[in-house]
Amino acid sequence: VKYTPNGGVIHVQCDFADGSVLLKVTDRGMGIPEEDQRHVFDAFHRAKNVRDVSGTGLGLAIVKNAVEAHGGTVHLESKIGVGTTFTVTLPA
């Protein structure tokens, strides 16, 4: 939410398919630069375009560790100026 402009919308979708639970969270925020996407789940890494937004760079590292501890995966799709989608897949 903090990376989406005021008045922006966050979509949350949950589906069940092929024995897995899929959770998708999509925003229409600033997006994550392509060169930062491979590090976005690393502890303390912050994308270069979020320097004016407070944070520690731990949130997505914690998400990834929690999802993987439950046998799942987390995937990201993002484009600058368009937004970001995180997809979490967990075994049902």
Side-chain angles (χ1 to χ4, degrees), residues 15-83:
D15 292 311
F16 180 78
D18 299 324
S20 295
V21 175
L22 303 171
L23 175 67
K24 287 188 177 188
V25 180
T26 302
D27 71 22
R28 296 294 172 235
M30 63 179 67
I32 302 168
E34 191 172 330
E35 60 270 17
D36 286 312
Q37 290 181 22
R38 62 188 162 137
H39 298 290
V40 76
F41 297 106
D42 296 346
F44 304 110
H45 178 80
R46 298 196 68 224
K48 66 182 177 187
N49 65 333
V50 297
R51 299 295 180 219
D52 295 334
V53 180
S54 65
T56 61
L58 286 175
L60 290 173
I62 292 169
V63 167
K64 183 176 187 219
N65 284 332
V67 168
E68 289 179 349
H70 288 87
T73 61
V74 60
H75 176 73
L76 123 95
E77 295 177 38
S78 187
K79 291 193 187 267
I80 293 295
V82 176

